[in-house]
Every structure is written in structure tokens, then in C-alpha cells.
Amino acid sequence: MEYKAFIIKYTEIALKGKNRGFFEQALLKQIRTKLAACAGSFQVTHTGGRVYVAGENFDFDETVSALKKVFGVTAICPAVTVMRDGNGKLPDIEALSAHAVRFLGELYPSLKTHADDTKKRTFKVECRRVDKTYPLTSMETDAYVGEKLLLAYESLKVDVHRPEILLQIELREQVNLYAETIKGPGGMPVGTSGKAVLLLSGGIDSPVAGYLTAKRGVLLEAVYFHAPPYTSERAKQKVKDLAKIIAAYTGEVRLHVVNFTDIQMYIYETCPKDELTVIMRRYMMRIAEKIALEAGAHGLVTGESIAQVASQTMQALMVTDEVVQELPVYRPVVAFDKQEIIDISEAIGAFEISTLPYEDCCTIFVAKHPVTRPRADVIRKHEELLAERIDALVAEALAGKELFCVTA
Ligand code: ATP
Ligand code: MG
């Protein structure tokens, strides 16, 4: 089948009332940007709650895979189009039926072989008559074309409730015929829901948390706390590669890399070992909030999940959040089981990178018996021991941070 076009559906955006235009424009922009990076040339237009992509000289798989990375897209339907004739007329019902017969025959070559009643494939024709001047109603068109298909292919039978094959015909500026539906990622177009800063480590959870947040239309910047020489260049590269996975959906991700070594070392030398993780996490959050406010972001995002590790009990999360003063902290995977997170990680192609064996934290900084129920008052008191140097170290870390603009 040689497709020349795609019909793109986007259910949720269509519900957005007065803001609909804003969401649709954002979606069109995302689609155009993604397609610009593909081979071929495309025309992207928008009518009646659908995006229509007409393409030339494109690679089908490459194009579909690009469209599957546009948040807001719920379905991608490869279509065959039939243009109006020289007099501006759509094909009459005979010509339309002939197109439908050819289209289904090419799409499902097995229809041409005889099948006894038990092996017949069920189908339904569904017409949308947007051009109301077309002489037949939608129902008349469905019936007529359906009849012709039954005559052409003995192996078909009608099932209007749960058809295996749903042939859709749109009578618009041109005729669109389609029967295949490729699932899109869903969600909302990137950039329609504000901005957040993701605390991105090299682990499994935070890239998934970032993906899920971006999927709701949120623009992301990322922060990675690097602790050389305890964490290697390769660990940093791994985080860049994970940012790249997210950038494939969102476009460029600004990745801030903060050197955390001196802060970590100072906490390690000064505070009780069993509180190391909690205190470190509190400093990560404080610094991330500063970066987020600077970036004009509206929230922080982490990959924490209740009870996954000692630093992720409800008490620990509460004590961690306490230091974030102005922004909400979002934890999209907070109630997910590890396996559920892994499933998403695999689906977006992050898992292989996340499981590369470069530690995102040096083992000397991981306490043997971390507190699982830290108390805020106790932690605050122990943080006071850092008073002498910590503000200067935080300022230094912020001043020396590196910025990478990561693209897919
Ligand atoms: P992940 O798989 O995302 O690393 P995790 O289960 O290993 O999560 P932790 O290492 O305790 O959990 O980290 C909890 C969250 O804190 C992470 O999901 C991430 O958002 C953030 N985080 C942890 N370490 C770093 C780091 N070095 N740089 C940036 N963010 C970090
Ligand atoms: Mg981790």
C-alpha cells in the first residue's frame, strides 16, 4: 500500500472548549517540527477536529515513528486520498466504491482468497460526509460501498457492532480512505501546560517521571547532580542520553549539571551517617528549586515512589519536601510499583540506558542503615552543623553549573 497521507486524531484536546484553538495550534507546531526532521516534504493542515498530513517522498516507518512521539496525538491513520476532478467534483458513488474495493484489496490481500463462513472477516463502512453537497447521505454511502465490497470479496461479511475491519471514508475537500489505526502517545501538546524542572538521575524512575510529566504538555528542564570523581563521566553521559530520550518527545531539553561533590563531602563529614541521604536530598531539592525559579518553572518533578527505598517513605518524602519553599513537588510515579515503572521505561527506550552499570551515586555516600522515619526537627538540627560553609558551597555549586542543550 502506498500511502500519501495521514489522518491524525486527538480526542482529549478537542474537549478543551474555548482554549481549543490554542491546543490545536500547539499540536500543529509539534507535528510540523517533528516532520521537519524526517525525509520527504509534508503539508500539515487542520480541519474539523482532525489534522491532515499530506506527504511526498517520505519514508513510512520514519514518519510514523516521528508522529508517535507527538504528545496530544491519540491515533495515526495512514490514508489514501482521492482528489476532486477538473470540475471540482468528488468521485461519484460508483467511482468511490471502486476506490474502496481497490484500497481494501491492497491493504488486505488475503481478502481475495475464498473463505468459508467461519473464516470470513467482518467489516463495516463508516462515512463522514463533511461536504454536504455530496448527493448521497452518509448512510446511503455506507450501504452502497458496503454492498460493492461484499460483491468484490467473498471473504467479507458485515458486522456493524464489532467489525475487524473498519473502512472509514471522509468526503471533504478530497476523499480520504483509511482502515488502519496506529496508536499515538496521547497526552497534551508540549508547551501547553507550563514548565517544570526534573531532577534527573541516571536511574530508572526519574526519566519515566519526566516522560509522564512532559506527556501532560509540560515543558521540562532537567537538573543532574554530579559528584566527580565519585561519579564518572560515563554516568554524566548516561544522564545526557536519558535527557535525549525525553527530548525526542519534547524537543530540546536544557540539562543543568551541578557539581555536588563538595556539598556531599561536607555533609558526609559533618552529619550523622544514617541521615546522609535525607540531608543530601534536601540540598538537591533546595538547589533544584533555585534553578527552577530562575528558569520560570512552576514545579519540581522527581522519580520517587512511596516505599521503594529508605529515603522514599512518607516520612522521608515529607522531610524532603519541607525545604522546597515556593514550588510544588510532583512525583508522577509515586504510587507505581517498580515493574510498572520499568514497563514504561522499556516502552520509551530508556531502560537499556538506565540499567547501564555506571553508578549515579558513590557507594561511600550510601549509609548502611539509613533512617526510614526521619524527623524534621532532628534533621534541621543536624543541618545546623553545616552552617559554617554550606551557603558558600551551594552558591559555588550554582555558579559553576554547566548547561547542556540536549536534542534527540
Ligand atoms: P531514580 O531511578 O530516578 O534514580 P531512585 O529510585 O534511584 O530513582 P533515589 O536515587 O533515591 O531514587 O532518588 C530519588 C529521586 O531523586 C530520583 O528519582 C531523582 O528525581 C532525584 N535524584 C536522585 N539522585 C539524583 C541526582 N544525582 N541528580 C538529579 N536528581 C537526582
Ligand atoms: Mg537513583
Side-chain angles (χ1 to χ4, degrees):
M1 175 65 58
E2 205 190 321
Y3 286 116
K4 292 277 188 220
F6 299 90
I7 312 285
I8 297 185
K9 299 185 180 174
Y10 51 95
T11 7
E12 195 177 351
I13 305 170
L15 303 175
K16 291 280 163 189
K18 275 193 194 152
N19 283 329
R20 185 171 158 163
F22 167 69
F23 286 95
E24 284 170 342
Q25 287 312 311
L27 181 71
L28 286 175
K29 185 172 162 217
Q30 292 293 324
I31 291 174
R32 290 194 176 110
T33 308
K34 286 279 157 22
L35 293 178
C38 295
S41 60
F42 299 92
Q43 228 192 340
V44 183
T45 48
H46 167 247
T47 38
R50 299 268 195 277
V51 174
Y52 179 74
V53 175
E56 296 224 21
N57 306 321
F58 62 87
D59 178 84
F60 182 83
D61 292 338
E62 184 195 35
T63 307
V64 168
S65 122
L67 292 170
K68 279 168 88 171
K69 291 198 166 68
V70 179
F71 291 134
V73 169
T74 54
I76 302 152
C77 306
V80 159
T81 53
V82 183
M83 294 305 176
R84 288 174 188 256
D85 65 15
N87 300 319
K89 287 217 169 327
L90 289 173
D92 66 17
I93 190 68
E94 285 303 331
L96 183 67
S97 305
H99 282 296
V101 166
R102 198 174 322 126
F103 174 67
L104 272 205
E106 261 186 56
L107 190 56
Y108 305 108
S110 66
L111 289 182
K112 291 173 187 153
T113 51
H114 173 79
D116 66 38
D117 205 46
T118 56
K119 298 213 182 77
K120 286 191 176 185
R121 301 184 70 181
T122 58
F123 85 108
K124 176 187 179 182
V125 179
E126 204 171 75
C127 172
R128 273 168 60 116
R129 192 179 60 133
V130 180
D131 178 352
K132 298 292 181 207
T133 65
Y134 199 72
L136 277 76
T137 65
S138 299
M139 273 166 73
E140 287 165 350
T141 309
D142 293 346
Y144 198 95
V145 175
E147 196 62 44
K148 292 287 181 188
L149 285 167
L150 283 172
L151 284 173
Y153 303 119
E154 265 184 65
S155 54
L156 280 179
K157 70 175 174 190
V158 175
D159 180 345
V160 291
H161 301 294
R162 300 184 60 192
E164 282 170 65
I165 300 170
L166 176 64
L167 171 63
Q168 305 199 61
I169 303 177
E170 293 183 349
L171 303 170
R172 299 178 176 268
E173 247 326 284
Q174 75 276 355
V175 177
N176 301 324
L177 296 166
Y178 57 98
E180 279 185 292
T181 294
I182 300 162
K183 207 168 171 304
M188 303 297 290
V190 170
T192 56
S193 308
K195 193 197 265 191
V197 163
L198 167 70
L199 283 87
L200 180 61
S201 71
I204 296 168
D205 307 319
S206 48
V208 171
Y211 167 82
L212 291 173
T213 307
K215 188 175 162 198
R216 296 308 304 162
V218 178
L219 206 61
L220 289 181
E221 293 200 13
V223 183
Y224 169 57
F225 295 94
H226 186 39
Y230 304 104
T231 58
S232 65
E233 265 313 294
R234 290 198 297 183
K236 182 163 140 189
Q237 183 57 43
K238 181 174 154 179
V239 173
K240 286 189 198 165
D241 291 342
L242 289 168
K244 219 177 165 80
I245 298 262
I246 295 173
Y249 292 87
T250 60
E252 180 185 278
V253 171
R254 288 160 60 87
L255 170 66
H256 304 264
V257 177
V258 176
N259 187 323
F260 202 57
T261 312
D262 293 345
I263 296 174
Q264 207 167 2
M265 215 52 195
Y266 187 43
I267 300 172
Y268 178 73
E269 285 162 356
T270 316
C271 299
K273 299 285 170 287
D274 60 346
E275 291 168 4
L276 196 62
T277 310
V278 180
I279 295 176
M280 259 165 40
R281 308 261 322 111
R282 280 162 61 101
Y283 277 97
M284 283 187 188
M285 295 303 255
R286 286 179 172 111
I287 294 172
E289 186 183 31
K290 287 202 165 72
I291 293 172
L293 289 171
E294 177 94 352
H298 312 103
L300 297 178
V301 178
T302 78
E304 288 156 314
S305 160
I306 294 173
Q308 199 188 86
V309 290
S311 60
Q312 297 174 19
T313 59
M314 290 293 276
Q315 292 88 339
L317 295 178
M318 188 176 93
V319 172
T320 306
D321 272 9
E322 185 198 49
V323 300
V324 188
Q325 310 223 308
E326 289 182 47
L327 296 176
V329 181
Y330 295 104
R331 299 184 166 92
V333 299
V334 74
F336 284 27
D337 289 347
K338 192 74 190 187
Q339 190 56 48
E340 292 169 316
I341 300 172
I342 290 175
D343 290 346
I344 299 174
S345 171
E346 282 177 330
I348 62 173
F351 189 70
E352 270 185 34
I353 302 169
S354 289
T355 48
L356 288 171
Y358 319 129
E359 279 304 316
D360 56 9
C361 178
C362 178
T363 40
I364 68 158
F365 297 118
V366 179
K368 286 202 182 61
H369 303 289
V371 276
T372 52
R373 291 183 190 77
R375 277 178 38 195
D377 54 345
V378 176
I379 299 291
R380 261 181 251 138
K381 209 157 162 275
H382 290 149
E383 275 182 357
E384 281 169 21
L385 302 171
L386 301 166
E388 195 187 324
R389 287 177 56 212
I390 196 72
D391 288 350
L393 290 178
V394 167
E396 215 174 283
L398 278 167
K401 89 178 159 57
E402 294 175 281
L403 175 65
F404 298 92
C405 296
V406 181
T407 52

